């Protein structure tokens, strides 16, 4: 029978001193599990006379192991005292390093695989597999990285469950989809041994097997007399088995945990390890291990504890602590719902700043916790930066630090192709290394689009020759060891030493030091790995997330932004659980792997309904653990999704947290006074509200206007920085010495020169519409489909090609999300179906999205032809897709500037004329699908001279900056009519 002792605060001294035999310490949030282990360790050393090095302290993560060690060493107050504290993985590594050479015949310790290396090895072995030995549905997947990741995860789960190839073979007898895995498992283990590598799962399994070798356990156990384990609820089967062997010689084992904080099943943690502990770890006389239940929380007050319990209601777990007495004080739990995610982020940032200023709460005592970093944290980070609140950016990986990102951008530019290179070059040229004006960068990008190469384009950039040299010869990034490549970059790019020597370069200098250290470690693991390899791995997985050298200032009071899982073991005064949206938290998306790895675990239900319930229960425990991090205040926030966020609703947890079926809104109730103004931004907002309020009275409004006008004196923003106020533009002409025209520009100029000047040159009302977004999608889809057909040697793509391309390119965001986006997608599908059902083409494409250029009277014209096809007689036709439902009139198309340009430019393009003579140009209107054919409109090639005269006149008018208005039917949709002198209301905008 299990002996249980419910330990009150008054019983702590006696409980801590009762050290003999196996014991399980169970406690709720803030009840002192870790503190109990620390006091027991101190008692063993100070009172029982155990040498510190004879203790073994274990925990789930490096952070918690380090915390254990630091607290015990601080309590001992001795210099040069080493307390063995580590993670299970670190312990397993030390055991194998010390004992495996003699017991297993290893010549040296295998090198641990990083995540990307692990996937790469599995992928390499799968590529050599005989497909006939695998189940039919999996054969086509053997060469894919995705399947390699699935198999890697499956093998890790096997090792965590101590399931070897033979045991897996027995399990596979009942599962056809596993039939090839036992043999592959054996082959994989042989490959590890042959190459001197080991993965984290095999590391633990090998340590367990090592301790079963004769004589090994007695030698290992002789090194320590007491084992203390924290966060036992997060242990795997293999880790529990490791403890079972380590404790046997002396039976002095104390573990601490809380089943309600078991949140790592996806990493192999076994929920029932705590419940099974008393029977699995018996005393010398065979009696079950004793349970010590810590009854009182020293951190979590009643309101927070009650809310946390409500979230987990109905989820009773075997081995739990039972009712917990809350800490003194009431505490508070609040829930807020917003209409936009930006509103949510701004409100959180403002609340944290107010708490810091009004309640003197340090930022380091506050945290914002989210289920995933991908959604809210970037927006929240920007809101925090606007208020000057120090925090770790959500891109807190070393590889994402701006200084390191700059180094990797040079690697991208030197070793990659396509749009990624141009994006990397834009960041480099605009960033602190070159700090070029935006206009100069845009000009370089235009030159690049016309076929220029970056090394050549950098000739006129100050210091650009050094970067050009690196781009011309990428061996430093693609062939040399990564550390040597970084040194070559540092040596050849003169901007870097000057950058880190400046006061602003302090953090960059620390980041590059960390990068240098990370690359040095990479050289030890894989001497042939290059910077290009390092770049690829950082994009696949965060394998260098914890560098040995810190790259952020440690002396700054910083707010914590992190995930709910990563907050485990931390504590704060204020915790904000943000982005609590259904589908995000709880995250109930199916985690079922292709191979069903969860069926290896004895604690995870096999049936879909039971597994879904298990997942929900773990999400509840995650909410419970997050709330238990707070001492004083917990705030839950969510955004009831609008058009920009897709569909979504506040989490089902919010009503449970609030203790009611409704959730408090973020708006201030009517009649409640405005909160006290405490920051310059709040003062500015209050003054602007007063200025716009007719009921505030004229003196108050004039005073507000005066204060806003003198803003910088009071640390407010100057009026010119308010949203919607453009910077004063240049008084020079709109047209530069070298200007280039496009057919669409001239078409707009011919319609109305005044409107052209405002919209195309001054960008008044310049914004993307759903119609232009739809046109872009259709053009991209048709280009992709046709290129696919050309690659196959076929004359024409198929509807399936086009629909597949649509599926991979469709983004609902530009179309408003939800039902609106679905409607536009159906419109796209119907457009494509109509086009392919009534394809108006008469030949095979010879060019797609082909750039064209033509010079008329010294003015360069540029454009891009959607499709150029050749008919059976050898004549070429230029096609331009139009996604409007209203075809142009036949006369309008006959003299179209756009079609005329295409035909004239194509006739002057040697790449096109080698396929034949361009003879025709026409528009296609596939979106008009109520017709029995695709509407087309043709250029009258006999009138080319007439259209050329129009183009020449338009070019001269634009160069001479002649902007007369031409009122007409098009004016009803004009966005600049209010300032157009062609209309009575517009004349008021001009003095004469």
């Amino acid at each position: 029978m299990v002996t249980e002792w419910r330990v009150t605060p008054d019983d702590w001294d006696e409980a801590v001193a009762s050290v003999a035999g196996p014991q399980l310490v169970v406690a709720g949030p803030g009840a002192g599990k870790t503190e109990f282990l620390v006091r027991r360790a101190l008692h063993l050393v100070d009172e029982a006379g155990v040498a510190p090095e004879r203790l073994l302290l274990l925990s789930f993560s490096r952070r918690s192991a380090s915390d254990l060690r630091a607290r015990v060493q601080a309590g001992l107050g001795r210099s040069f005292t080493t307390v063995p504290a580590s993670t299970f993985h670190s312990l397993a590594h030390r055991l194998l390093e010390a004992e495996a050479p003699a017991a297993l015949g290893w010549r040296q310790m295998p090198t641990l695989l990083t995540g990307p290396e692990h996937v790469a090895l599995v992928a390499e072995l799968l590529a050599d597999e005989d497909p006939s030995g695998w189940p039919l549905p999996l054969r086509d997947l053997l060469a894919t990285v995705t399947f390699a990741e699935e198999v890697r995860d499956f093998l890790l789960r096997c090792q965590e469950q101590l399931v070897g190839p033979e045991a897996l073979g027995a399990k596979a007898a009942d599962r056809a989809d596993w039939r090839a895995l036992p043999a592959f498992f054996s082959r994989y283990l042989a490959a590890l041994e042959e190459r001197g590598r080991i993965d984290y799962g095999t590391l633990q399994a090998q340590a367990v097997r090592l301790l079963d070798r004769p004589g090994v356990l007695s030698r290992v156990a002789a090194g320590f007399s007491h084992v203390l384990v924290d966060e036992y609820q997060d242990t795997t089967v293999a880790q529990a088995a490791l403890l079972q062997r380590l404790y046997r010689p002396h039976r002095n084992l104390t573990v601490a945990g809380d089943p309600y904080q078991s949140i790592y099943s996806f990493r192999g943690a076994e929920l029932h390890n705590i419940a099974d502990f008393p029977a699995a770890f018996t005393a010398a006389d065979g009696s079950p291990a004793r349970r010590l239940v810590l009854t009182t929380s020293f951190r979590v007050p009643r309101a927070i504890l009650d809310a946390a319990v409500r979230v987990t209601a109905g989820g009773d777990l075997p081995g739990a602590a039972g009712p917990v007495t809350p800490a003194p004080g009431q505490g508070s739990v609040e829930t807020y719902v917003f209409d936009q995610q930006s509103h949510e982020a701004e409100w959180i940032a403002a609340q944290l700043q107010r708490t810091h200023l009004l309640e003197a709460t340090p930022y380091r005592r506050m945290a914002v916790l989210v289920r995933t970093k991908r959604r809210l944290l970037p927006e929240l980070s920007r809101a925090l930066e606007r208020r000057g609140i120090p925090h770790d950016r959500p891109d807190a990986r070393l590889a994402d630090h701006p200084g390191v990102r700059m180094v990797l951008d040079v690697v991208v530019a030197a070793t990659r192709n396509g749009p990624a290179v141009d994006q990397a070059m834009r960041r480099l040229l605009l960033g602190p290394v070159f700090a070029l004006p935006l206009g100069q960068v845009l000009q370089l990008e235009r030159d690049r689009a016309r076929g220029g190469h970056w090394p050549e384009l950098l000739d006129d950039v100050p210091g650009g020759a050094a970067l050009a040299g690196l781009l011309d010869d990428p061996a430093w990034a693609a062939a040399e060891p990564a550390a040597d490549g970084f040194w070559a970059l540092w040596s050849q790019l003169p901007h870097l030493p000057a950058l880190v020597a400046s006061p602003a370069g302090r953090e960059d200098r620390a980041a590059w030091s960390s990068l240098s250290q990370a690359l040095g470690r990479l050289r030890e693991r894989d001497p042939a790995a290059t910077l290009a390899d390092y770049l690829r791995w950082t994009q696949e997985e965060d394998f260098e997330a914890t560098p040995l050298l810190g790259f952020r200032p440690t002396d700054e009071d910083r707010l914590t932004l992190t995930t709910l899982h990563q907050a485990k073991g931390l504590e704060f005064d204020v915790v904000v659980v943000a982005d609590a949206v259904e589908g995000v938290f709880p995250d109930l998306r199916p985690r079922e792997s292709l191979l069903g790895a969860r069926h290896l675990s004895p604690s995870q239900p096999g049936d879909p309904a039971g597994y879904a319930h298990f997942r929900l229960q773990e999400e509840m425990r995650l909410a419970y653990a997050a709330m238990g991090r707070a001492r004083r205040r917990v705030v839950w926030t969510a955004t009831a999704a609008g058009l920009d966020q897709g569909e979504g609703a506040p989490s089902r947890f919010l009503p449970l947290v609030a203790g009611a079926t409704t959730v408090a809104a973020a708006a201030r109730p009517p009649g409640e006074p405005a909160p006290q103004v405490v920051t310059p931004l709040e003062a500015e907002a209050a003054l602007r509200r007063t200025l716009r309020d007719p009921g505030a009275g004229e003196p108050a409004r004039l005073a507000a206007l005066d204060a806003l006008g003198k803003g910088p004196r009071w640390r407010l923003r100057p009026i010119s920085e308010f949203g919607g106020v453009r910077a004063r533009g240049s008084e020079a002409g709109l047209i530069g010495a070298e200007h280039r025209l496009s057919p669409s520009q001239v078409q707009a100029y011919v319609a109305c020169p005044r409107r052209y000047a405002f919209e195309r040159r001054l960008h008044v009302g310049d914004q993307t519409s759903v119609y232009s977004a739809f046109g872009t999608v259709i053009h991209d889809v048709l280009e992709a489909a046709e290129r696919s057909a050309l690659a196959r040697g076929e004359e024409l793509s198929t509807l399936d090609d086009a629909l597949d391309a649509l599926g991979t390119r469709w983004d609902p965001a530009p179309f408003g999300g939800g039902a609106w986006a679905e409607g536009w997608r159906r419109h796209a599908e119907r457009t494509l179906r109509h086009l392919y059902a009534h394809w108006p083409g008469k030949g095979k494409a010879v060019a797609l999205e082909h750039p064209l250029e033509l010079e008329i009277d010294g003015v360069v014209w540029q454009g891009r032809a959607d499709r150029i096809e050749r008919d059976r007689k050898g004549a070429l036709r230029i096609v331009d897709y139009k996604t409007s439902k209203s075809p142009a009139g036949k006369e309008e198309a006959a003299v179209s500037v756009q079609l005329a340009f295409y035909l004239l430019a194509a006739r002057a393009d040697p790449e096109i004329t080698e396929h034949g003579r361009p003879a025709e140009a026409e528009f296609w209107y596939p979106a008009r699908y109520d017709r029995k054919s695709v509407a087309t409109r043709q250029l009258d090639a006999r009138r080319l001279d007439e259209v050329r005269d129009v183009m020449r006149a338009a070019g001269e008018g634009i160069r001479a900056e002649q902007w007369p208005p031409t009122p007409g039917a098009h004016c009803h949709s004009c966005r600049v009519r209010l300032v157009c002198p062609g209309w009575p209301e517009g004349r008021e905008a001009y003095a004469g």
Side-chain angles (χ1 to χ4, degrees), residues 296-579:
T296 305
S297 177
F298 299 98
R299 178 173 68 230
V300 187
R302 179 174 300 280
I304 298 175
L305 190 60
D306 287 349
V309 170
R310 283 196 299 271
V311 171
T312 57
D316 293 338
L317 296 177
V324 177
T325 302
Q330 181 59 30
S332 68
V333 178
E334 305 153 40
T335 56
Y336 297 95
V337 176
F338 302 85
D339 57 351
Q340 294 181 13
Q341 204 168 68
S342 57
H343 186 190
E344 180 181 359
E346 290 291 338
W347 185 88
I348 291 172
Q351 282 293 305
L352 295 174
Q353 186 177 39
R354 293 179 65 82
T355 301
H356 176 69
L357 294 174
L358 295 177
E359 301 175 22
T361 303
Y363 285 121
R364 64 177 175 274
R365 297 297 305 163
M366 296 186 279
V368 180
L369 311 181
V370 291
R371 187 64 175 82
T372 171
K373 289 184 177 182
R374 299 189 187 97
R375 286 170 46 91
L376 180 69
L377 287 196
E379 184 75 41
L380 177 59
S381 180
R382 288 189 288 271
L384 294 170
E385 286 176 351
R386 282 191 289 272
R387 290 166 174 80
I389 298 176
H391 63 284
D392 286 332
R393 294 173 56 88
D395 53 358
R397 302 186 318 156
L398 172 60
D400 293 318
H401 185 279
V404 177
R405 183 71 258 171
M406 183 276 299
V407 172
L408 298 181
D409 277 339
V410 183
V411 178
V412 170
T415 62
R416 299 282 177 89
N417 295 306
V421 173
D422 297 331
Q423 294 166 6
M425 287 300 301
R426 168 179 269 253
R427 290 191 293 266
L428 285 169
L429 296 174
L430 290 174
V433 176
F434 291 95
L436 296 186
L438 178 59
Q440 186 176 352
V441 174
L442 291 175
Q443 183 59 50
L444 289 169
E445 290 178 335
R446 286 192 288 269
D447 294 339
R448 163 74 167 167
R450 288 195 291 270
H453 298 286
W454 279 115
E456 301 165 0
L457 298 175
L458 294 172
D459 286 344
D460 296 330
V461 174
L467 179 58
L470 292 167
L471 302 185
D472 268 333
D473 182 8
W476 61 275
E480 296 182 12
D484 295 342
F486 181 46
W487 175 249
L489 176 68
W490 176 269
S491 304
Q492 296 179 43
L493 207 58
H495 312 72
L496 302 188
L499 186 64
V500 300
S502 67
R506 173 190 175 195
E507 190 170 313
D508 285 337
R509 184 164 58 250
W512 287 333
S513 296
S514 289
L515 176 62
S516 179
Q517 170 247 352
L519 296 179
R521 293 166 65 191
L522 180 62
R523 185 203 292 269
E524 295 172 3
R525 304 175 53 79
D526 187 353
T530 65
L531 275 175
D533 295 326
Y534 180 82
L535 169 66
R536 186 178 73 255
W537 291 334
T538 60
Q539 292 171 338
E540 292 174 355
E541 186 171 325
D542 180 16
F543 71 99
E544 39 65 79
T546 311
L548 298 179
L549 300 178
F551 59 95
R552 299 190 185 280
T554 58
D555 56 351
E556 194 172 28
D557 182 22
R558 304 177 76 84
L559 176 74
T560 297
L561 300 184
T562 190
T563 65
L564 294 155
H565 283 95
Q566 291 171 342
K568 187 74 173 295
L570 303 177
E571 67 173 49
F572 306 93
D573 291 335
V574 179
V575 167
V576 179
V577 181
D579 196 26

Side-chain angles (χ1 to χ4, degrees), residues 882-895:
K882 295 295 185 185
T883 51
S884 167
K885 287 190 174 184
S886 302
K890 293 182 179 180
E891 174 63 20
E892 180 184 350
V895 292

Side-chain angles (χ1 to χ4, degrees), residues 686-879:
L687 290 169
R688 294 177 73 177
R689 283 195 299 268
T690 301
L691 181 62
R692 295 182 58 188
D693 182 7
E698 186 173 329
R701 296 176 68 189
L702 288 174
L705 179 61
D706 180 68
L708 286 169
K710 299 174 180 176
R713 181 183 304 178
W714 318 111
R715 293 177 56 203
L716 306 183
R717 294 178 297 170
I719 294 290
S720 60
E721 291 185 8
F722 286 1
V725 178
R726 283 185 178 270
R728 184 178 182 88
S730 170
E731 295 183 2
L734 300 182
I735 306 301
E738 293 185 9
H739 72 285
R740 297 172 180 268
L741 297 179
S742 69
S744 61
Q745 284 187 36
V746 173
Q747 203 88 34
Y749 181 84
V750 170
C752 179
R754 174 68 57 148
R755 182 173 179 177
Y756 166 81
F758 274 112
E759 293 185 347
R760 294 301 186 96
R761 293 295 174 175
L762 296 175
H763 304 288
V764 174
D766 189 6
Q767 60 186 14
T768 303
S769 70
V770 290
Y771 301 102
S772 62
F774 180 77
T776 299
V777 168
I778 295 298
H779 280 73
D780 289 348
V781 165
L782 291 174
E783 180 189 3
E786 285 292 275
R787 289 196 186 282
S788 176
L790 289 175
R792 298 194 301 265
E794 298 174 0
E795 184 169 309
L796 178 64
S797 60
T798 66
L799 176 61
D800 288 340
D801 291 332
L803 293 179
D804 287 345
L806 177 64
T808 59
R809 286 160 174 77
W810 183 257
D811 180 4
F815 301 95
W820 289 268
E822 282 302 310
W824 278 101
R825 176 158 184 162
R826 288 193 296 271
H827 180 35
E829 291 176 352
R830 294 183 68 181
T831 297
L832 294 172
R833 292 182 188 279
H834 181 63
L835 175 61
Y836 279 88
H838 308 284
W839 187 265
K842 300 175 183 177
K844 181 178 180 181
V846 297
L848 299 169
E849 292 296 326
H850 185 76
L852 293 170
E853 188 171 296
L854 181 68
E855 184 174 330
I856 300 178
D857 294 347
V859 177
V860 177
W861 291 63
Q862 290 179 323
R864 188 175 291 271
D866 294 339
R867 173 185 175 87
I868 302 177
E869 61 181 24
R870 181 177 59 196
D871 63 19
R872 300 188 186 281
K873 296 180 181 180
L876 301 185
R877 176 185 296 103
I878 296 95
V879 174

Side-chain angles (χ1 to χ4, degrees), residues 85-109:
S86 70
T87 64
F88 282 93
H89 290 100
S90 178
L91 172 65
H93 192 279
R94 293 207 315 270
L95 291 178
L96 290 172
E97 195 171 38
E99 298 291 339
L104 302 179
W106 289 4
R107 286 176 295 180
Q108 61 182 17
M109 182 66 193

Side-chain angles (χ1 to χ4, degrees), residues 1 61 116 284 286 412 465 702 914 977:
M1 182 177 179
S61 66
V412 170
L702 288 174
E914 71 178 10
R977 178 170 165 172

Side-chain angles (χ1 to χ4, degrees), residues 99-121:
E99 298 291 339
L104 302 179
W106 289 4
R107 286 176 295 180
Q108 61 182 17
M109 182 66 193
T111 304
L112 269 169
L113 291 165
T114 64
E117 290 171 332
H118 197 178
V119 173
L121 173 59

